[in-house]
Amino acid sequence: MSADAPTGAGSLAGRDGRAGARVVRRPVRRRAASPWRVTLYLALGVGALVMMVPFLYTVSTALKPNAFVFTPEFLPKNATLQNFADAWNSNNFQRYFLNSLKVAVLSSLLTVAIATTQAYAFARLSFPGKNLVFNLYLITMMIPGMLFIIPQFLEARALGLLNTHLGLIVFYVVGSIPFQTFLLRGFFENIPRAIEEAAYVDGAGRFTTFLRVVLPLAGPAVGTSMIFSFLGNWDEFTWALTIINDVALRTLPIALRLFQGQHASQWGLVFAASLIALVPVIIVFVTFQRAFVRGVAAGGVKG
Amino acid sequence: MARSSLAPTAGLAPRRPWWRVSAWKRGEYLAAAVFIAPGLIWFLGFMLYPLVYSFWMSLHDWKIRGPSEFVGLANYVRVFGDSVNLIALRNTVVYGVLSVPTQMFLGLMIALGLERLSRGKVLLRLIYYLPVISSWVVVSLMFMFLFNSEGLFNHVFGDVLGLVDPNTAWLNRASTAIPVIALLGVWKGLGWSMLIYLAALQGIPAELTEAARVDGANRAQVTRYVTVPLLKPTTLFIAVMLTIGAFQSFIQFYIITGGGPVHQTEVFLSYMYDQAFNFLDFGYASAIAWLLAALILAISLVQFRLIKSTYEY
């Protein structure tokens, strides 16, 4: 915790250049460590530690040889990376990892391509039936997703999409179209119209303007939307559970759950696999933290 | 019509039917059609059609093969007579009452604390938010392990502290399994409330809190009488979203208890899923889903009404 401990005013003053905006907003005198601040840091630090307990214990369990899984210590005596190697090399795990990656990447690319074009039309173009379609999207956003699972299952069966990755992708995309369109429309509306008008005056058509002028400006928004889609599709469980039977086509969440069922006592292996599955999520989140936080704040997205 | 006022050239265009318009307008309609078509077709085919179809199914004794029999509202009537749905309602309410206010309170406290920090803010925010982005499957497995009869919880609170019987099988009966799953819900969800509260706190003008400080209020009083009342719309928004989420709980129950023993830990969606994909009773399962949707809509409307009547600045 020492790195987080409050320090004197001198060292904080050095940060002012970086934190310029905050200084303007709150010109409170920077104090030295008061008992109050120490308590605050202590409370938040202990809270964070408690939040980390399930993760830390999972890591610790994944490092224990199987015979020691139920020994309660946090620092395993016979720590080994064997579980990670075994998980990665066993039970088609690499294949499941690639399946999830493929489905999540393709679905999010398609979602973003479709949601971006639609959102632009809703934000900038006028056409008959616009409000009707947009309201339809808003209404379906409020309907629980599980309501769709039975009819979509029958539809997938009729179209021969059961047991295919295409069946996952088609329905992942439609599941995120309304919300992503709604979110992106908000971003597009904030781009000044004058920029587009300038492009028209220079002789650009609507499609050129969209592709060459608007899309580059909307880069961060499109990126945020891409991250949300990716994370959602990477973790999706219920639909994959419902339509995928073929062992070779499973995605990670399904594989993890069945893995636990088959190896009920091999928790070290299960958690090693779980932690590998969390890696892409953590990488994406840590890398795009800023954009992500802004996106949650704008759309109220529930993870 | 609102339509014409939305157009960039609206001021110039006289009101005309949409098919008799200028070339520029017609170009705009064409562009819009190209932009909208792929998504709209996708949506109509894979979302709106299933939605309508689902309602149609709920009115039938649905057969996987062969003709299905139209039974009117019989499936809906059956929902009210089926005692498992009562258990599901009880479990959902217990889960919601235990988890929603707790997540909100802790999320608010953490946000208020983080807002005051000058260092370590980003790291702490990341730690509190990590469970939110973790997969439900993974965190459900974690809690199964922690609350196993040989798990860490029994070791610490049983063997070491002596507060509980160290052999308790927490997940084997409803009275303990639901609170454990609610604890999982709190742990996984509080980072989300924290983030929304943090965003709202940034929007509160500093002058308001500073004015109160100048008037002699101490820090706790400013928080209690200025900040928290200003956060009221956010609080109600979070309450609505979390309540909706609680009523739609599925994966954590499905994985941790599977609804058992004998339906004692069932929630609406786990029961619906069971009826659909184990008993292939698609008509009945659809009726459960529609009634749940209606229940969620009703609760949201009540809460939104509250938002409107209490929105004040």
Side-chain angles (χ1 to χ4, degrees):
Chain A
M1 271 299 95
S2 65
D4 283 344
T7 40
S11 72
L12 284 168
R15 281 165 48 91
D16 282 358
R18 208 145 58 78
R22 198 185 306 154
V23 172
V24 175
R25 217 171 66 75
R26 192 187 285 177
V28 192
R29 55 275 150 206
R30 300 280 190 196
R31 269 175 308 266
S34 65
W36 187 85
R37 289 189 82 74
V38 174
T39 316
L40 183 62
Y41 269 101
L42 214 61
L44 288 170
V46 169
L49 211 60
V50 171
M51 291 299 282
M52 288 298 284
V53 163
F55 288 115
L56 296 175
Y57 198 58
T58 299
V59 174
S60 145
T61 306
L63 291 171
K64 286 173 189 167
N66 204 44
F68 299 92
V69 157
F70 283 111
T71 54
E73 74 267 349
F74 266 85
L75 292 171
K77 284 188 208 87
N78 319 302
T80 167
L81 290 173
Q82 194 58 40
N83 283 323
F84 288 90
D86 287 350
W88 181 247
N89 291 315
S90 74
N91 291 60
N92 287 332
F93 188 85
Q94 294 173 43
R95 160 166 250 154
Y96 301 146
F97 195 90
L98 288 178
N99 285 347
S100 276
L101 202 61
K102 169 185 149 190
V103 169
V105 168
L106 288 178
S107 317
S108 19
L109 283 175
L110 264 167
T111 301
V112 170
I114 287 176
T116 312
T117 44
Q118 286 200 106
Y120 180 70
F122 282 123
R124 279 296 195 267
L125 304 175
S126 82
F127 54 93
K130 175 167 153 169
N131 290 336
L132 176 74
V133 177
F134 194 71
N135 286 333
L136 219 52
Y137 285 1
L138 287 184
I139 290 168
T140 49
M141 272 166 56
M142 292 183 226
I143 296 174
M146 284 284 278
L147 187 68
F148 296 91
I149 203 159
I150 298 169
Q152 285 180 338
F153 171 79
L154 294 175
E155 191 179 25
R157 190 180 66 160
L159 296 172
L161 293 173
L162 292 189
N163 256 322
T164 64
H165 284 161
L166 184 63
L168 292 178
I169 295 170
V170 162
F171 290 95
Y172 286 171
V173 170
V174 84
S176 17
I177 281 180
F179 177 72
Q180 296 287 350
T181 305
F182 173 74
L183 196 64
L184 284 164
R185 186 191 75 136
F187 283 115
F188 284 136
E189 277 176 342
N190 288 334
I191 296 176
R193 274 172 202 272
I195 296 177
E196 283 159 75
E197 276 154 23
Y200 291 135
V201 171
D202 287 346
R206 285 194 178 82
F207 296 96
T208 319
T209 309
F210 173 68
L211 283 176
R212 310 281 291 271
V213 180
V214 176
L215 263 193
L217 282 174
V222 174
T224 311
S225 144
M226 184 90 196
I227 298 166
F228 280 128
S229 310
F230 176 84
L231 291 181
N233 298 329
W234 176 263
D235 280 342
E236 203 284 334
F237 174 72
T238 314
W239 180 243
L241 175 77
T242 309
I243 72 158
I244 301 290
N245 272 323
D246 195 334
V247 173
L249 293 177
R250 282 176 188 156
T251 53
L252 268 181
I254 305 303
L256 284 175
R257 196 218 160 208
L258 294 171
F259 205 50
Q260 191 271 328
Q262 286 159 11
H263 310 266
S265 57
Q266 287 175 277
W267 281 100
L269 208 57
V270 172
F271 285 147
S274 301
L275 289 168
I276 300 174
L278 279 181
V279 167
V281 173
I282 294 174
I283 291 178
V284 167
F285 180 64
V286 171
T287 315
F288 300 102
Q289 235 242 111
R290 256 166 205 286
F292 195 88
V293 170
R294 225 181 305 123
V296 175
V301 192
K302 186 87 171 75
Chain B
M1 276 289 292
R3 183 195 305 153
S4 58
S5 67
L6 284 166
T9 51
L12 307 170
R15 194 163 296 177
R16 275 188 285 184
W18 62 267
W19 60 89
R20 291 178 58 197
V21 291
S22 67
W24 169 258
K25 267 263 152 230
R26 212 172 297 133
E28 188 169 2
Y29 292 169
L30 186 71
V34 174
F35 277 138
I36 292 284
L40 186 59
I41 291 168
W42 208 303
F43 172 83
L44 292 178
F46 297 110
M47 201 136 191
L48 198 65
Y49 168 70
L51 187 68
V52 176
Y53 193 61
S54 156
F55 184 65
W56 173 247
M57 288 174 79
S58 75
L59 302 176
H60 288 76
D61 180 12
W62 196 266
K63 300 283 191 299
I64 292 290
R65 283 171 227 287
S68 303
E69 190 195 339
F70 181 83
V71 294
L73 295 176
N75 284 323
Y76 290 91
V77 173
R78 198 179 137 197
V79 172
F80 290 98
D82 184 341
S83 63
V84 177
N85 286 309
L86 262 180
I87 299 177
L89 180 64
R90 178 199 72 189
N91 291 341
T92 305
V93 169
V94 171
Y95 176 80
V97 167
L98 289 180
S99 69
V100 172
T102 320
Q103 289 178 71
M104 294 179 67
F105 177 75
L106 292 175
L108 175 62
M109 288 300 124
I110 295 164
L112 286 171
L114 284 184
E115 177 72 0
R116 301 245 165 81
L117 298 191
S118 40
R119 316 196 131 197
K121 203 171 172 173
V122 172
L123 178 70
L124 285 170
R125 193 178 62 191
L126 173 70
I127 291 174
Y128 284 109
Y129 198 69
L130 200 55
V132 182
I133 52 169
S134 304
S135 137
W136 270 111
V137 176
V138 170
V139 299
S140 298
L141 294 178
M142 282 181 185
F143 271 64
M144 273 176 86
F145 185 64
L146 289 172
F147 286 90
N148 187 294
S149 54
E150 301 171 69
L152 182 68
F153 186 84
N154 273 348
H155 177 71
V156 173
F157 291 90
D159 295 334
V160 178
L161 299 176
L163 293 173
V164 297
D165 174 3
N167 296 314
T168 315
W170 297 93
L171 303 173
N172 287 359
R173 52 168 197 271
S175 60
T176 49
I178 307 288
V180 168
I181 298 176
L183 183 69
L184 166 61
V186 170
W187 174 78
K188 193 174 191 297
L190 65 85
W192 180 79
S193 327
M194 169 205 75
L195 210 60
I196 304 289
Y197 272 127
L198 273 175
L201 283 171
Q202 318 257 289
I204 292 181
E207 302 90 72
L208 289 179
T209 48
E210 258 146 41
R213 293 286 291 187
V214 170
D215 288 347
N218 65 30
R219 208 179 262 117
Q221 285 169 329
V222 172
T223 303
R224 170 72 188 79
Y225 296 105
V226 181
T227 313
V228 171
L230 286 174
L231 288 173
K232 206 167 190 176
T234 310
T235 300
L236 285 158
F237 167 75
I238 295 176
V240 173
M241 297 304 285
L242 291 183
T243 310
I244 291 176
F247 272 83
Q248 294 188 47
S249 308
F250 170 68
I251 301 176
Q252 64 272 48
F253 284 90
Y254 183 83
I255 289 183
I256 294 181
T257 67
V262 280
H263 296 304
Q264 283 306 303
T265 59
E266 212 80 73
V267 284
F268 291 110
L269 290 179
S270 63
Y271 189 51
M272 181 212 93
Y273 197 84
D274 198 36
Q275 287 297 319
F277 295 104
N278 287 330
F279 293 98
L280 301 178
D281 201 342
F282 285 162
Y284 183 49
S286 300
I288 296 177
W290 275 100
L291 280 179
L292 177 64
L295 182 62
I296 290 174
L297 184 71
I299 293 173
S300 316
L301 284 180
V302 169
Q303 286 176 313
F304 275 119
R305 182 63 52 86
L306 284 174
I307 290 180
K308 265 202 181 139
S309 63
T310 51
Y311 197 108
E312 57 196 61
Y313 242 76

